[in-house]
Amino acid sequence: MSIGVVLLLQSKGCLMEVLTVAATASLVKSMIEKLGQLWKDLIIFWDLDKECDITKDMLTIISIVLADIEKKFITNERICPWLSQLQDATYDVDDFLDDLQIEKQRSKGKFPAGAIWDFLSSNNQVKFHYKMVKKIKRINTRLDKSMEEKRNFQLVERNFVMEEDIARRETFSIVDESNVYGRKEEKKKIINLLTNDKDNEILSVLPIVGIGGVGKTTLAKIVYNDKEIKKYFDPIVWVYVSMKFQLSKILEKIIECVSRKGCDVSYIEAKVNKLETMISGTRFLIVLDDVWNEDAIKWEELTTILKCVSTIGSKILVTTRSERVARIMGTFDQFRVDPLEFEYCWKLFEKRAFQYVDEEEKESCINIGKEIIRKCKGLPLAAVHLGNLAGLREVDWCIIRDSNIWQTTEYWNGIMAFDIFRSSLLFL
């Protein structure tokens, strides 16, 4: 932080507030890392992964809010009390993890190595487990309250796209292929991989990998809707996964897609039985869109179920940003989606941007538009949204071209560039 910025903050009486934000952000980040480090050693050991998964998700979202507050030096009279409550909840998470560690060490030597069942069925250990469940649920209630109170900081909400908001953008399989450019070769290669059964695998998994906004979902859609695919696979299913990889929810969505009606059973075992009666012996294709799960155990649970009800040639097509996810899930080598060539990004932009441009202005607008598209670096999502933005009558294209959004990590991470641009323009 520069001296000039510090003096400015001091003159506004908010230096301490900004430093507190930074300290809280660091604390929350360290706790997210600690949860990850102790996941297998303690959290799964004590069968607390479901509760702690909720904790980690909320801390991750809060971390994003704190990063944005810190970056923009946002001040609010209610921030300090909120930060104090958040720090207390985070310290409680640390104490909770310490309790798990201490109890595990204390109980060592009581049971022979490997006697997990005896260990967990001991009255003392059962009592301790339920005590910890109650404790983490109380912590999650406090974090949930913090999640609600963060909505008081409207500037954060308007200027930053939260992960929880991204999770609401559920995808679907329908696509207008006339609006897709430059993906014919990729589509052909993927279809060939999916319909080639020389390996005689009962269930194969092809991961489509690429950065945010590069067009993974769109590519999966045009493959999903291809006539050759529909002839080869039956049923074909589209499932939007996103941040939370929940086995029960994924099974429910598969059942709903195949039956074309709601899932009328709630337990996982009942869902497995229902799925077996519906697709057993079929050659199916399931698309899992936007997968983030890096827990191999969760993935093995799903594939174990699907292998039991599939026949040779069944496939799963996965879209993900993470190469680690692709390595965990894939039986094929990952299929990498590269950025579009300039001419295709320009077509996407041009189709949307010139609807209100007069012929006299068109030539100068073309030059500015091409400068904008060069900054998109081949991301079709950015080209589409910026084309829509440029198509608005009241928007000056030079503002889009010259905006500092191009230097932000949010844009290059592909997090809905249009929303970030639109919100930043509101404050120019």
Side-chain angles (χ1 to χ4, degrees):
M1 189 181 297
S2 70
I3 295 175
V5 171
V6 171
L7 291 173
L8 176 62
L9 293 173
Q10 286 177 325
S11 69
K12 292 186 177 181
C14 60
L15 176 59
M16 186 59 67
E17 193 168 81
V18 172
L19 293 176
T20 306
V21 171
T24 309
S26 178
L27 178 64
V28 171
K29 184 179 178 182
S30 67
M31 205 48 53
I32 294 169
E33 292 173 353
K34 189 170 183 179
L35 278 165
Q37 291 164 1
L38 299 178
W39 201 264
K40 290 185 179 179
D41 187 44
L42 287 179
I43 293 169
I44 291 179
F45 180 85
W46 287 111
D47 192 26
L48 292 163
D49 49 310
K50 290 181 181 178
E51 290 79 13
C52 290
D53 198 35
I54 296 170
T55 310
K56 193 175 179 182
D57 282 351
M58 286 195 285
L59 285 174
T60 300
I61 293 169
I62 289 169
S63 177
I64 296 170
V65 176
L66 291 170
D68 195 57
I69 293 173
E70 185 183 6
K71 180 179 67 179
K72 296 184 174 69
F73 307 115
I74 296 168
T75 60
N76 184 302
E77 62 182 7
R78 301 184 66 178
I79 283 181
C80 280
W82 180 72
L83 291 172
S84 179
Q85 293 170 12
L86 182 56
Q87 285 179 344
D88 289 343
T90 309
Y91 286 132
D92 284 348
V93 175
D94 198 27
D95 291 341
F96 166 82
L97 294 172
D98 286 343
D99 288 346
L100 298 184
Q101 183 73 57
I102 291 167
E103 182 62 19
K104 184 179 178 183
Q105 290 175 349
R106 188 190 68 78
S107 61
K108 279 183 178 179
K110 280 190 171 184
F111 303 95
I116 300 299
W117 176 255
D118 289 340
F119 180 77
L120 292 178
S121 62
S122 160
N123 288 335
N124 288 337
Q125 302 309 320
V126 170
K127 184 178 179 180
F128 176 76
H129 168 79
Y130 282 109
K131 177 184 174 183
M132 291 296 100
V133 168
K134 288 183 179 179
K135 187 168 185 177
I136 194 63
K137 283 185 175 179
R138 284 197 299 269
I139 293 170
N140 286 343
T141 299
R142 293 179 66 184
L143 289 173
D144 188 61
K145 184 179 178 182
S146 294
M147 295 273 289
E148 287 299 317
E149 289 181 356
K150 74 175 172 52
R151 302 185 189 282
N152 294 320
F153 317 130
Q154 295 181 4
L155 189 59
V156 176
E157 292 285 333
R158 293 180 70 183
N159 276 283
F160 198 77
V161 180
M162 302 303 300
E163 288 191 41
E164 61 180 343
D165 296 325
I166 294 171
R168 296 194 189 107
R169 295 188 173 94
E170 185 169 354
T171 62
F172 49 87
S173 62
I174 296 173
V175 64
D176 181 356
E177 200 163 344
S178 67
N179 287 324
V180 180
Y181 299 100
R183 296 300 187 199
K184 288 183 180 179
E185 287 302 312
E186 288 96 330
K187 173 186 172 182
K188 185 177 178 181
K189 288 177 183 178
I190 291 174
I191 291 173
N192 286 339
L193 288 170
L194 292 176
T195 57
N196 186 343
D197 291 323
K198 291 180 180 179
D199 54 6
N200 289 321
E201 287 280 342
I202 292 177
L203 183 66
S204 302
V205 183
L206 174 61
I208 298 178
V209 184
I211 62 174
V214 79
K216 301 180 297 295
T217 296
T218 299
L219 182 55
K221 285 182 178 185
I222 60 176
V223 169
Y224 181 94
N225 287 281
D226 186 79
K227 292 179 181 178
E228 186 178 348
I229 289 292
K230 290 184 176 181
K231 286 180 182 179
Y232 193 82
F233 296 102
D234 186 23
I236 57 173
V237 175
W238 183 278
V239 177
Y240 175 68
V241 180
S242 194
M243 296 287 181
K244 293 185 178 180
F245 192 96
Q246 297 175 314
L247 177 63
S248 181
K249 196 68 178 176
I250 291 172
L251 293 176
E252 182 180 313
K253 288 182 177 181
I254 294 172
I255 290 169
E256 289 176 347
C257 284
V258 175
S259 66
R260 298 182 180 274
K261 57 183 180 181
C263 180
D264 56 1
V265 292
S266 56
Y267 294 105
I268 287 184
E269 181 64 22
K271 290 176 182 177
V272 172
N273 292 335
K274 189 174 184 69
L275 190 62
E276 186 174 8
T277 61
M278 293 172 66
I279 66 173
S280 181
T282 65
R283 184 167 60 192
F284 58 75
L285 171 66
I286 297 174
V287 176
L288 300 179
D289 184 42
D290 194 26
V291 177
W292 294 73
N293 169 60
E294 295 185 353
D295 185 341
I297 294 174
K298 289 183 179 181
W299 174 241
E300 287 171 9
E301 289 175 344
L302 177 60
T303 53
T304 298
I305 293 169
L306 294 177
K307 282 180 180 178
C308 290
V309 299
S310 65
T311 190
I312 291 175
S314 292
K315 301 289 195 305
I316 298 176
L317 186 64
V318 174
T319 71
T320 180
R321 299 185 189 190
S322 167
E323 292 188 5
R324 176 174 169 78
V325 170
R327 287 194 297 271
I328 291 170
M329 301 176 75
T331 60
F332 287 100
D333 291 336
Q334 58 184 254
F335 189 96
R336 176 158 291 282
V337 183
D338 295 321
L340 279 181
E341 293 179 12
F342 175 86
E343 62 176 297
Y344 297 124
C345 274
W346 173 248
K347 285 182 179 179
L348 289 169
F349 179 87
E350 184 182 34
K351 189 171 185 177
R352 293 159 175 81
F354 287 96
Q355 51 187 326
Y356 298 120
V357 175
D358 296 333
E359 285 298 321
E360 296 178 2
E361 300 176 297
K362 193 167 185 179
E363 187 174 347
S364 61
C365 284
I366 287 174
N367 293 331
I368 297 171
K370 288 186 175 181
E371 290 181 56
I372 292 170
I373 291 304
R374 287 189 184 94
K375 291 187 174 184
C376 287
K377 293 192 176 180
L379 296 185
L381 180 63
V384 167
H385 288 318
L386 293 174
N388 288 333
L389 182 61
L392 300 175
R393 288 181 183 275
E394 65 272 18
V395 174
D396 185 339
W397 288 26
C398 292
I399 292 177
I400 302 174
R401 180 194 61 192
D402 300 332
S403 172
N404 62 6
I405 193 68
W406 307 106
Q407 282 77 49
T408 64
T409 56
E410 292 95 333
Y411 170 76
W412 296 118
N413 284 336
I415 305 178
M416 297 307 292
F418 173 62
D419 287 337
I420 298 169
F421 248 117
R422 182 174 55 188
S423 58
S424 66
L425 288 171
L426 291 174
F427 294 93
L428 289 174

